[in-house]
Amino acid sequence: MSEPLVLGIETSCDETAIGIVRGRTLLANEIASSVDEHARFGGVVPEIASRAHLEAIIPSIQRAVKAAKISLDDLDAVAVTAGPGLVGALLVGVSSASGLASGLSKPLYGVNHLAAHVSVDYLTHDLPTDPTIALLVSGGHSSLLQVDDITGSIKKLGATMDDAAGEAFDKISRVMGLGFPGGPAIDRSAKDGNASAIDFPRGLTTRSDWQTRPFDFSFSGLKTAVARYLEATPNYKMSDVAASFQEAIVDVLILKSLAACKESGIDSLVIAGGVAANSRLRVVAQERCAKAGVRLRIPSPALCTDNGAMVAALGSLMVSAGRPPSAGALDAQSSLGVETVSL
Ligand code: KG4
Ligand code: ZN
């Protein structure tokens, strides 16, 4: 089956998202977000997210099928995010996908949300996605991966020791009063700021860190430094703080990604996850990868944040690679590790 038709369901956090792909072609990408319901709490509230998924899932599937101009009977497989994520939220997707797949007698693929973020790259060009180094930066995870085979062989080279990059954006945004989610808010504010106004620390980049933890990240020192700066500087310029904070994160992410390319001898980098939508990250990555002779791919911003297309893309790759579907009753695994591509 060269061009499998796959429907993907994503409900790991606050987006109820359905994607439909035929091979590399994206046919539908429907997203219903409950982000506005969480904003006043300054973060995602699991119970609110689960209830919103329950309300949105069936209409979202219907909208996607209509947009893709297909019939559910035409599907070759159903794919769903089985983890990691909020357990109640994941369960809505997993049970809906299980019901749909068994009702249609189609194979069901329970896939890893993090691998799916990387695999969306497959929809954006004609080249193979792997082997590649992948920088995965989202609200809950930040890691550097060596992806030898996106459908089954992912090695974690390093990860954050404390906050995820997106989490750091969200927390600093809250301290600065810029709202939730913080990444887009800081990205916007930073556009008018001077990125070298304040020299914020670059976590885990001392000489000994490069020897012992070359591919790990830490953003807690940066977070503290920004909070101290805000306290000590009553008339601080919001855009300068945003730009300097953003620069410190972007700088370390790209430095370490390129170091991983060099060490592994893989001259390809995919940047994925919500933080990959950051406009400064995209520019810096482009400049430095060009200089280093590394082929860079970053999906369009809409495909970087959570979506169903990425789940469908990974499902389609699994079908094409002849990987077996999930056996028995599929379970949601809230802390599924990044190296387990499917369940
Ligand atoms: O991948 P994602 O949509 O959801 C998770 O799997 O976590 O990532 C969400 C994270 C949030 O922390 C959000 O603040 C961040 O991605 N984000 C950004 C930008 N857009 C979203 N961070 C920096 N700059 C952005 N433009
Ligand atoms: Zn995500």
Side-chain angles (χ1 to χ4, degrees):
M1 199 186 304
S2 59
E3 295 260 275
L5 182 66
V6 179
L7 180 142
I9 300 181
E10 154 62 37
T11 65
S12 70
C13 193
D14 57 342
E15 265 89 32
T16 314
I18 311 295
I20 299 176
V21 305
R22 190 187 298 279
R24 288 178 180 270
T25 310
L26 180 58
L27 302 180
N29 194 23
E30 291 293 323
I31 301 183
S33 177
S34 60
V35 67
D36 294 342
E37 295 174 55
H38 306 286
R40 70 192 171 101
F41 301 102
V44 175
V45 182
E47 290 77 9
I48 294 179
S50 306
R51 200 190 54 214
H53 287 310
L54 273 174
E55 285 167 8
I57 189 104
I58 303 281
S60 299
I61 294 174
Q62 288 168 335
R63 272 201 308 279
V65 167
K66 194 165 173 208
K69 300 191 177 70
I70 59 146
S71 143
L72 284 173
D73 289 324
D74 302 336
L75 290 174
D76 294 303
V78 176
V80 61
T81 296
L86 304 169
V87 70
L90 287 167
L91 276 170
V92 177
V94 166
S95 47
S96 307
S98 304
L100 189 62
S102 78
L104 295 167
S105 303
K106 307 287 179 184
L108 173 67
Y109 289 84
V111 300
N112 188 311
H113 178 82
L114 308 173
H117 265 303
V118 177
S119 71
V120 81
D121 168 66
Y122 162 83
L123 301 178
T124 65
H125 56 78
D126 290 335
L127 301 164
T129 286
D130 46 44
T132 190
I133 295 299
L135 169 67
L136 177 80
V137 271
S138 71
H141 295 83
S142 293
S143 35
L144 261 172
L145 311 171
Q146 179 171 331
V147 181
D148 290 315
D149 175 352
I150 187 70
T151 68
S153 174
I154 297 183
K155 190 167 107 196
K156 185 157 83 180
L157 303 176
T160 182
M161 321 265 312
D162 36 62
D163 289 347
E167 200 178 351
F169 272 99
D170 293 335
K171 286 180 178 168
I172 290 301
S173 175
R174 193 181 320 163
V175 177
M176 291 173 71
L178 287 173
F180 174 83
I186 289 187
D187 196 343
R188 270 192 304 276
S189 172
K191 284 201 177 8
D192 310 315
N194 173 4
S196 43
I198 311 144
D199 188 17
F200 286 130
R202 271 61 172 162
L204 294 186
T205 56
T206 65
R207 183 192 289 258
S208 88
D209 291 329
W210 278 112
Q211 272 156 9
T212 53
R213 304 192 162 279
F215 307 130
D216 287 328
F217 303 106
S218 168
F219 300 111
S220 67
L222 169 62
K223 216 175 52 189
T224 310
V226 177
R228 283 222 186 100
Y229 177 87
L230 295 175
E231 261 171 38
T233 321
N235 296 320
Y236 66 82
K237 197 170 162 217
M238 184 85 89
S239 57
D240 281 355
V241 180
S244 301
F245 161 75
Q246 177 174 271
E247 198 70 12
I249 293 206
V250 166
D251 188 24
V252 176
L253 292 177
I254 304 304
L255 261 179
K256 297 211 165 198
S257 300
L258 286 175
C261 289
K262 196 165 174 200
E263 164 108 0
S264 62
I266 297 175
D267 60 357
S268 160
L269 175 65
V270 172
I271 307 185
V275 179
N278 184 266
S279 61
R280 181 66 185 151
L281 176 73
R282 301 173 79 92
V283 169
V284 173
Q286 212 84 51
E287 286 170 3
R288 296 205 204 156
C289 286
K291 237 186 228 162
V294 166
R295 186 182 71 167
L296 170 71
R297 292 185 314 252
I298 316 181
S300 65
L303 292 180
C304 287
T305 46
D306 288 349
N307 62 82
M310 66 191 207
V311 179
L314 185 50
S316 155
L317 280 158
M318 304 283 291
V319 173
S320 294
R323 295 269 175 190
S326 304
L330 181 62
D331 215 1
Q333 289 200 14
S334 63
S335 49
L336 186 65
V338 67
E339 294 179 336
T340 308
V341 178
S342 63
L343 288 177

